[in-house]
Amino acid sequence: MDKLKRVLSGRDAEEPSGLGEVIDATSLGWGTRVKGFIACFAIGCLCSLLGSCLLWVPKKGLTLFAVFYTLGNIASIGSTLFLMGPMKQLKRMFEPTRLIATIVMLVSI
């Protein structure tokens, strides 16, 4: 059965040192990816909204806003890692057409 999986996935040759087993063990199913995306995105939106509400707290409001809004942005961006994977996400973020936007966003955070 494993041989059939390797042939159908395009990995006909054996991968050295059990790398194939590690890849199979760490890959997430589509349902798990969608659940992770929704959970992480909801947490990000909640943190951003909470940060916006805490902006009006006297004296500490600006600090609380900055912390929660930044955490919300990081969680929302991190939610897409569940859908496309970390390496694909980074490759797309640093494509020449998106490089300036990525740099501005990272510096802003």
Side-chain angles (χ1 to χ4, degrees):
M1 189 67 172
D2 290 331
K3 177 72 173 168
L4 180 61
K5 284 183 184 178
R6 282 193 306 270
V7 169
L8 292 176
S9 67
R11 295 182 296 167
D12 192 24
E14 278 292 322
E15 295 185 18
S17 70
L19 184 61
E21 293 176 16
V22 172
I23 291 172
D24 290 339
T26 58
S27 64
L28 299 174
W30 183 247
T32 307
R33 288 176 185 262
V34 171
K35 289 175 188 174
F37 167 76
I38 291 171
C40 203
F41 189 73
I43 290 170
C45 289
L46 182 67
C47 283
S48 295
L49 184 64
L50 183 62
S52 296
C53 292
L54 290 175
L55 182 60
W56 307 110
V57 172
K59 296 191 182 191
K60 297 268 185 186
L62 195 56
T63 304
L64 290 172
F65 167 76
V67 169
F68 279 100
Y69 199 77
T70 300
L71 290 175
N73 281 332
I74 291 170
S76 295
I77 292 169
S79 68
T80 58
L81 295 175
F82 284 101
L83 295 180
M84 31 171 62
M87 290 308 295
K88 192 173 183 181
Q89 171 83 14
L90 289 174
K91 285 179 185 177
R92 285 194 174 175
M93 282 176 67
F94 290 100
E95 286 178 350
T97 56
R98 297 179 181 178
L99 185 61
I100 294 173
T102 300
I103 291 171
V104 168
M105 187 241 354
L106 291 176
V107 167
S108 297
I109 288 178

